[in-house]
Amino acid sequence: MNFTPVDSNVTGAANYLDRFLTALGRNLTVFVLGITINFINANMVHTFSKHHIFKSNPRYILFIHLVFNDMIQLTTSISLFITSYAFQTIYVYHCCLFVVPAIMTTQNTPLNIAFMAAECYIAVCIPLRYNNLCSVKRTYIVIGIIWTCSSFSVLPDVFILFATEPLEFINSRVMCYRDTVFRSKYSLKKRDASHMLFLVGVWFTLFFTYFRILFVAKAANTDAKKARNTLLLHGFQVLLCMMVYVQPMLLQVLRYFFPGRLSAIYFVLFIINQILPRFVSPIVYGLRDKTFRMYFKRYLLCTMNVHPKTTLTMLS
């Protein structure tokens, strides 16, 4: 009986302010994390580009491709995240410009890790053929294969979209997610099939290479033991990356248990699926390597302007 329109306005303003602060906090969190990770990754790319010792080693080439791929993935996915908060809905053709590179780079990561595991296996188990199998030229061919495989998993969806959807839908505004844009039943079935194929192929490669190296490690080979530990980290990294493949199922489960927290669920899944794996990559693959860490720390700590004699001493 005491309720008045003034109370309603105050409550509505308080709710709006609360939602605004929540959205602002989430966007700032995502933005700061993305800038920090990309700053570290950019320094790694700079370190790689300055030294021939890295450019002639297939292991470092695959690693820096993973880092560069993560930079593209973070930039596109965070841009999409902030855009979705700022505008809620965007045009379908604009959404494709965000979704396509985000999907391709997301799927590049586990494929890149699988080839890194194969390189590790060749170095430990068949070292006499390493120079023939893992040349620089073949490494760049492998990178081309990675991009080709990921493009085959998403570009057909674009053709299906423009071939099956009416022009009114393409010119309409939607919440920018993969399933809202590529909503054809053919795209959904192809998505599930490609996810399963990637999942089986990558995990088979990791298990095969790990157990083969494990047998070699029993002979007390130091390099083999190090490679075994590296493959365990590969597995952890792939596990994080593969979370994106089970995201539709996980989303349904979380929506069932937390029906009124859909926005928070999307935020948590975004952090886990998109940012956390990219945060782990430079730590797992770059900072663990003594040679790369030595040069990387020099650039990160802004000590590039050292005395030439000191530089020659460090390089010798």
Side-chain angles (χ1 to χ4, degrees):
M1 294 294 292
N2 294 328
F3 184 77
T4 63
V6 175
D7 296 328
S8 177
N9 292 337
V10 172
T11 303
N15 290 335
Y16 174 80
L17 180 62
D18 183 63
R19 291 195 300 270
F20 173 78
L21 292 177
T22 301
L24 181 62
R26 290 173 181 173
N27 280 274
L28 282 177
T29 300
V30 167
F31 181 77
V32 170
L33 287 174
I35 290 295
T36 303
I37 297 172
N38 273 348
F39 172 75
I40 296 173
N41 287 344
N43 275 277
M44 288 190 168
V45 174
H46 180 71
T47 302
F48 172 86
S49 64
K50 288 296 182 179
H51 300 284
H52 183 72
I53 186 177
F54 301 130
K55 297 178 183 179
S56 59
N57 191 315
R59 182 170 303 173
Y60 292 116
I61 295 174
L62 287 173
F63 161 68
I64 214 64
H65 173 256
L66 178 66
V67 169
F68 186 74
N69 180 81
D70 285 351
M71 292 178 65
I72 300 175
Q73 195 277 338
L74 271 178
T75 302
T76 54
S77 60
I78 289 177
S79 299
L80 180 57
F81 182 88
I82 295 175
T83 301
S84 65
Y85 266 98
F87 302 103
Q88 297 295 320
T89 60
I90 61 177
Y91 289 107
V92 170
Y93 49 85
H94 288 159
C95 182
C96 289
L97 298 178
F98 288 107
V99 170
V100 170
I103 294 174
M104 289 180 62
T105 50
T106 298
Q107 296 196 348
N108 279 346
T109 301
L111 291 177
N112 199 108
I113 295 174
F115 279 109
M116 291 174 72
E119 184 274 336
C120 194
Y121 161 76
I122 295 172
V124 173
C125 297
I126 44 178
L128 296 180
R129 300 187 60 191
Y130 180 85
N131 291 331
N132 292 329
L133 296 176
C134 297
S135 63
V136 173
K137 180 179 179 180
R138 291 190 176 186
T139 303
Y140 284 109
I141 292 175
V142 163
I143 292 175
I145 293 173
I146 292 173
W147 282 94
T148 301
C149 291
S150 62
S151 63
F152 282 160
S153 69
V154 64
L155 290 184
D157 292 330
V158 179
F159 297 128
I160 293 174
L161 169 67
F162 286 98
T164 61
E165 296 291 352
L167 187 62
E168 291 78 8
F169 174 74
I170 297 176
N171 291 324
S172 64
R173 299 175 67 96
V174 296
M175 295 185 67
C176 192
Y177 299 104
R178 175 175 184 165
D179 293 346
T180 58
V181 176
F182 305 130
R183 61 181 187 174
S184 169
K185 62 179 182 180
Y186 303 107
S187 294
L188 296 177
K189 290 181 179 179
K190 187 194 65 61
R191 180 204 65 187
D192 294 338
S194 63
H195 284 181
M196 184 62 65
L197 182 63
F198 277 56
L199 189 69
V200 172
V202 171
W203 278 110
F204 174 79
T205 302
L206 286 176
F207 278 117
F208 174 79
T209 53
Y210 175 77
F211 285 109
R212 292 288 295 175
I213 291 176
L214 181 63
F215 293 140
V216 176
K218 289 183 178 181
N221 187 318
T222 304
D223 292 336
K225 290 182 177 180
K226 182 179 178 180
R228 181 193 61 186
N229 295 334
T230 300
L231 284 181
L232 284 176
L233 293 174
H234 283 336
F236 174 69
Q237 173 74 348
V238 169
L239 184 62
L240 290 176
C241 296
M242 292 297 183
M243 288 289 292
V244 72
Y245 292 164
V246 299
Q247 179 171 327
M249 183 185 303
L250 184 60
L251 181 61
Q252 292 181 1
V253 173
L254 293 176
R255 290 179 65 177
Y256 176 79
F257 287 104
F258 307 99
R261 307 290 295 177
L262 184 60
S263 178
I265 291 172
Y266 276 116
F267 173 69
V268 172
L269 288 180
F270 182 84
I271 294 293
I272 294 174
N273 293 337
Q274 304 297 335
I275 293 184
L276 186 58
R278 278 81 215 173
F279 176 77
V280 173
S281 291
I283 298 175
V284 170
Y285 306 117
L287 300 183
R288 288 182 66 249
D289 186 272
K290 293 181 180 179
T291 304
F292 194 89
R293 184 171 66 244
M294 179 184 69
Y295 292 101
F296 172 71
K297 287 173 64 178
R298 182 156 53 113
Y299 288 109
L300 188 62
L301 298 176
C302 300
T303 58
M304 294 178 61
N305 296 323
V306 295
H307 193 275
K309 293 182 178 180
T310 306
T311 304
L312 291 174
T313 302
M314 294 182 66
L315 293 176
S316 62

